[in-house]
Amino acid sequence: MQMLVVLVCIPETSRIARNIVMSQGRKGMDNEPIDDFKGLVCFRYTLEEKDMYQTFDRWDALAAEPTIGAIGETLQSSEQTTTPVGRDIISAACLLRSSAALRTKIRGGGADEVYEWERWLRHVLWLQNQRLAEEQETTDGGPIQASWQGKDFFSKEIEPSSLALYHFRTGNWDEFNFLAVKSKKADEQSRNIRVRVQLNFLRDMIASAGSAKEAEILALELLLRAQEHAAAGDDALLFRYLDEFLPLIERWSLWMALSRPSPMQRHARVFAILDAMEHNDSMGSVGHSSGYDDMETLKECMNNYKFGATASGKRLAVAILNRMNAYLMMKDGKEIPLDQESAVDAILPEKIPKGSDWDQNWTEEHHEEWIHCLGNLASISKTGARGGRRGGKKGVDSTSWEAKVNIYKKEAWPLTRELTDLDVWNVDAVIDRQKLLVSLLELIWKK
């Protein structure tokens, strides 16, 4: 008689179970914390089996990899119109929204965020069910409203947040209801363009500077609240978010990118703005709560920052220069090339050929002092950068001043085109341009 013995391991916690699965060769290697959270939302916190699988299917459709033409695909199983955004976007949206809701820093890339996400889920369910209970008391025995479950959390929290984050990162501004409406009123058209410019800047800043990544918490919160107030027809609150909070978030993001404060300092300021949004506080109480982001500090940071020294610094320079260019074009009523892909060009080359005009106009000391400042950088289209290749080198960095002028003439940005009025690029020219950019900093982001 043969005996078959089956050993069954029943882990004490889901974290232990996940670690066991992840250690079994390649089995389960595609399992991420967001998949664990999906199971919690769809099954543990949803009561009816039908609702469980409908929520599961909707989550899968949302988590599908986005493709060209995928916007507005119809998910037949749940009769919902779903835009696929990808699993990474859902995970990022959950990190941002849970950090905002719990007012705490949540680290990604491990398993611990699942516990924070569940705490966020339980927090939202408790708040919503408390609200429903209070409403029930005021209806004097009316029909009992169903309690909030995981399925409601997905449709009201996860799905809208993921879609908003996806459209923010991809620049699909027309997908936001407060920007999609075309108005014939001049002031509303102006606001629409300005908000698109500001959101473009925020997106580029967050992508360029690691020290500004927490600003995405604020950007997503603002977008969701703006959509909510636009849908409700509450223009007063909508315009308050767009006209007061958005410029504040811009300025604080710029401060974080340039001064590179500690994570604790960054989160403290992010949570201060979130509290102001939550309690509808005045901007005065938030904007002047700290001297770290005052204008003099921003000016000093911009003057001292070595933009041209690193790839991330150059991307940051493009974001700032394009924002300044857009400001000038809006002021003159000109059309802004929002979709143009830009690169940065060092006006004074990083390496000066011996015997060239650059060599005659620049000393080694002055070259070292000014080469990486914002005033020595110009934003040009990537087409212009490719068209200016010389000697197999990328961009127009190594060309003569005359050749650069011919390239700059073809650019749309006014700060780049006005360089063509100069006969020579020397120390006085770069100092004057640095002063001009600092003055624009104050005009755009003054409190």
Side-chain angles (χ1 to χ4, degrees):
M1 180 178 179
Q2 294 182 344
M3 296 182 61
L4 177 63
V5 179
V6 179
L7 297 178
V8 179
C9 173
I10 304 177
E12 184 178 355
T13 67
S14 60
R15 183 176 183 180
I16 295 174
R18 182 176 185 274
N19 290 339
I20 292 174
V21 172
M22 294 291 284
S23 66
Q24 303 301 309
R26 295 192 60 82
K27 296 180 181 178
M29 291 300 288
D30 63 341
N31 192 59
E32 298 289 341
I34 193 63
D35 301 308
D36 295 337
F37 189 50
K38 172 185 174 182
L40 291 174
V41 173
C42 296
F43 297 108
R44 181 179 294 183
Y45 287 89
T46 300
L47 302 179
E48 299 294 332
E49 185 174 357
K50 178 182 177 182
D51 294 333
M52 293 178 184
Y53 286 101
Q54 281 190 351
T55 306
F56 186 88
D57 289 341
R58 289 180 61 189
W59 189 306
D60 275 351
L62 186 67
E65 287 303 314
T67 57
I68 297 175
I71 294 178
E73 282 187 356
T74 301
L75 176 61
Q76 299 296 335
S77 60
S78 62
E79 298 181 355
Q80 298 285 336
T81 300
T82 302
T83 299
V85 301
R87 186 168 64 172
D88 290 345
I89 288 287
I90 299 177
S91 180
C94 288
L95 278 173
L96 297 171
R97 294 290 289 137
S98 57
S99 294
L102 301 176
R103 299 294 194 274
T104 187
K105 179 182 179 180
I106 301 176
R107 296 182 180 274
D112 291 342
E113 61 259 47
V114 177
Y115 299 100
E116 298 295 342
W117 287 341
E118 185 175 10
R119 191 157 70 93
W120 169 43
L121 167 61
R122 293 169 67 89
H123 173 71
V124 171
L125 294 184
W126 183 84
L127 287 176
Q128 292 297 333
N129 286 323
Q130 282 290 107
R131 177 184 60 80
L132 291 175
E134 292 173 1
E135 291 178 356
Q136 189 66 35
E137 290 179 0
T138 62
T139 56
D140 298 326
I144 298 176
Q145 301 181 56
S147 62
W148 257 56
Q149 304 173 36
K151 64 183 181 70
D152 305 296
F153 182 80
F154 173 79
S155 62
K156 302 296 185 182
E157 292 284 340
I158 294 177
E159 190 172 36
S161 300
S162 300
L163 290 170
L165 182 61
Y166 174 70
H167 295 314
F168 173 71
R169 288 186 176 181
T170 56
N172 294 328
W173 308 127
D174 286 339
E175 296 298 321
F176 294 102
N177 56 4
F178 58 92
L179 292 176
V181 178
K182 306 298 181 184
S183 174
K184 294 182 178 180
K185 296 182 179 179
D187 59 335
E188 294 182 5
Q189 289 178 355
S190 176
R191 177 184 283 112
N192 190 301
I193 295 172
R194 173 179 57 80
V195 170
R196 289 168 186 258
V197 167
Q198 291 174 298
L199 291 175
N200 259 337
F201 172 72
L202 263 181
R203 181 191 61 179
D204 293 342
M205 287 280 288
I206 292 166
S208 302
S211 59
K213 63 183 180 180
E214 286 83 4
E216 200 165 41
I217 298 174
L218 298 172
L220 182 56
E221 184 74 18
L222 182 140
L223 290 170
L224 292 170
R225 287 174 179 265
Q227 288 203 114
E228 178 184 347
H229 294 306
D234 191 344
D235 288 347
L237 273 177
L238 170 64
F239 295 155
R240 185 151 189 257
Y241 280 108
L242 299 182
D243 298 341
E244 296 183 32
F245 279 103
L246 184 53
L248 178 65
I249 295 171
E250 267 194 295
R251 188 172 68 247
W252 277 28
S253 302
L254 183 62
W255 166 74
M256 289 192 286
L258 295 180
S259 65
R260 289 172 284 196
S262 69
M264 183 178 294
Q265 289 176 311
R266 300 198 301 263
H267 277 88
R269 280 146 190 79
V270 165
F271 296 153
I273 294 186
L274 288 172
D275 288 340
M277 289 183 180
E278 188 73 29
H279 301 107
N280 206 23
D281 286 345
S282 67
M283 287 297 90
S285 64
V286 180
H288 299 284
S289 61
S290 166
Y292 288 102
D293 68 324
D294 63 31
M295 190 52 59
E296 291 306 313
T297 301
L298 284 177
K299 289 180 182 179
E300 182 180 358
C301 289
M302 196 169 87
N303 279 325
N304 295 333
Y305 198 98
K306 302 297 184 183
F307 290 93
T310 63
S312 61
K314 291 176 182 178
R315 291 194 297 270
L316 183 58
V318 169
I320 295 173
L321 289 171
N322 286 358
R323 178 67 176 91
M324 291 178 172
N325 277 298
Y327 169 82
L328 294 174
M329 296 180 82
M330 283 189 291
K331 189 177 178 182
D332 294 338
K334 296 180 179 178
E335 186 176 353
I336 303 168
L338 289 174
D339 298 327
Q340 174 180 293
E341 291 188 50
S342 299
V344 72
D345 177 53
I347 304 171
L348 170 66
E350 294 187 34
K351 293 183 179 180
I352 297 180
K354 291 292 183 181
S356 65
D357 291 340
W358 300 113
D359 193 27
Q360 297 175 21
N361 292 322
W362 286 86
T363 65
E364 184 176 345
E365 181 183 356
H366 284 155
H367 181 276
E368 184 178 348
E369 181 179 0
W370 296 101
I371 180 62
H372 295 312
C373 74
L374 190 63
N376 187 54
L377 301 176
S379 178
I380 60 175
S381 66
K382 288 191 174 180
T383 303
R386 289 191 295 268
R389 290 180 181 174
R390 293 292 185 273
K393 295 183 178 181
K394 289 185 178 180
V396 294
D397 180 68
S398 61
T399 60
S400 65
W401 171 245
E402 291 76 14
K404 284 176 178 283
V405 167
N406 290 330
I407 293 171
Y408 296 161
K409 284 179 179 178
K410 302 173 184 177
E411 295 297 324
W413 295 125
L415 288 173
T416 303
R417 288 178 60 87
E418 70 181 17
L419 291 170
T420 63
D421 296 332
L422 300 173
D423 295 325
V424 65
W425 186 251
N426 54 22
V427 177
D428 292 336
V430 73
I431 291 175
D432 289 343
R433 191 165 191 268
Q434 183 73 12
K435 290 180 180 178
L436 169 65
L437 298 181
V438 169
S439 68
L440 284 173
L441 174 77
E442 187 165 16
L443 281 174
I444 297 170
W445 290 292
K446 59 186 177 183
K447 294 185 179 181

